Amino acid sequence: MTTTQLASPKTTEMDPRAKKAAHGAFTGFFLDMYDIYLPVIALGPAMIYFLSSEMPPAQAAIVTSLIFVSTLLGRPIGALIFGRYADRIGRKKVNLIAVSGYGILSFAMAALPGYEAWGIAAVILFIVLRLVDGIFVGGSYSAASPLAMEYMPREKRGVWGAYIMLGFPAAFVAISLLTFVMLQIAPADGLDSPYVQWGWRIPFIIGGILALLYVWWYAVSVDESDLFTKTGGTKSPLKTLFSGNSLKAFIQVFVLMSGFWLSLYTVTAILPSLLQSQVGLIPTQVTVLLVVAFVALAVGYMVAGAVSQRIGRRPFLVLSGFGATVVGTGLYYWMLAAPPESFLGLAVLVSAIVWVVVWFWGLTTTYINERFRTGVRASGFGLGYSVAVIPPSFYAFYQAGLERFMPFEFTVLPLLMIGGILVSAGALLGPETKHIEFTADPES
């Protein structure tokens, strides 16, 4: 059976429940991304709290990366577990369980003692909690996004899918501003400073409160997907996913998303450190610069969704992947080799880099959901989105290998080029999807 069916009539009317589902998916994704970047942005200035003062810099860097990567590695596990159940028992129930899980874990992490009190056990426990937290995060978007997309008319999926993806830049901006404010209230200056001892806990506590409030709102405001209800669930979603046309779709999405993730890391993981080490900015300037860039990116997401709705997902992704490879790499090289002297000029350049390299992420929710049939959509979306994160997560090792052939600061450029090429290649491997209509297809 084919993955989906083409609809003959246009279905432009919005179900009143669709907007609530979209707002629920956006807010859930905002909370997911907020949670993901907590250890990078909020805990970053207080990382000494979990590290030994005698720990060598290389070892400290590994521990720090493990705290972040453990969450990322937990996401595909969560997509595997929760995506399967979202295709069996319902998207709404699974989302409520998943968000409750990482909301409670946020409070647990905020209460952790540091290295001075528990030694290496504190670090190990924190990493384990982040891994479990990532599992719940992977479960949340595997359920909420397919539910929202299944309510959307096909003529509106591009824009509304981009709206859901706004949760990422919105969360990045929110947590950056919150951390900035907390550092003004409780400065970070050594192990005994206010921010290191208690200030970093506040963003974690706020994240937990927001998650639990969201659970209450979602429970009373968002209805289960009608399409899922009509199917009655799939008995063996993973078996169905990894066979026939669904398997082909998964492989194609994996290639595409590998490019998405690798390109993204050149901005979210590598760019901030380069702005300090190569451009010479202080941390406060980097924060302000990235906030400006990610506000601009939010506009880029909506533009991407609207453009793809007009010209098609496939040509948009092919062209934007090519743009990241050529234009994005060129702009990145300009920043590294001869950055503008004025802060305004640098802000414009960095915003342009972030836009060109990341704006196609605005299609993620829409396109991946369009690639899978209703019976395996949650599993396909969750795993297709998450599993591809694993190879790009080792970007630091790739940079170390590339350093044999070029200066370290320029090793980001080949990674960006490869990421863009994978985006274009992944799109070329798949069909056009903007005309596809979601149907209540049977399991077989």
Side-chain angles (χ1 to χ4, degrees), residues 34-101:
Y34 179 98
D35 184 89
I36 287 291
Y37 285 99
L38 272 177
V40 178
I41 301 174
L43 186 58
M47 191 60 70
I48 189 176
Y49 184 75
F50 287 100
L51 302 176
S52 168
S53 58
E54 300 177 355
M55 190 175 291
Q59 187 176 349
I62 292 174
V63 172
T64 302
S65 66
L66 281 175
I67 291 174
F68 178 57
V69 171
S70 60
T71 312
L72 297 180
L73 296 180
R75 293 168 69 159
I77 300 174
L80 180 67
I81 298 171
F82 288 100
R84 174 174 175 266
Y85 281 105
D87 283 327
R88 291 188 63 185
I89 66 173
R91 285 74 158 109
K92 180 176 178 178
K93 293 177 183 177
V94 167
N95 187 41
L96 292 174
I97 294 170
V99 179
S100 298

Side-chain angles (χ1 to χ4, degrees), residues 46 84 94 102 126 149 171 197 277 294 299 327 344 351 386 443:
R84 174 174 175 266
V94 167
Y102 69 72
F126 192 49
M149 285 293 98
Q197 288 299 314
S277 63
F294 276 81
V299 178
V327 180
L344 177 60
S351 296
S386 301
E443 181 182 348

Side-chain angles (χ1 to χ4, degrees), residues 114-187:
Y115 190 93
E116 292 293 313
W118 282 15
I120 193 66
V123 181
I124 294 173
L125 180 57
F126 192 49
I127 292 173
V128 170
L129 288 178
R130 290 301 301 177
L131 176 66
V132 178
D133 182 80
I135 293 173
F136 281 110
V137 169
S140 176
Y141 56 69
S142 297
S145 292
L147 189 156
M149 285 293 98
E150 287 172 353
Y151 270 119
M152 289 297 155
R154 55 190 170 88
E155 286 78 12
K156 298 181 183 293
R157 283 201 301 255
V159 173
W160 280 97
Y163 164 72
I164 291 171
M165 292 303 298
L166 284 182
F168 165 54
F172 191 94
V173 169
I175 195 171
S176 296
L177 292 176
L178 177 58
T179 302
F180 179 80
V181 171
M182 286 304 306
L183 286 169
Q184 310 311 306
I185 298 172

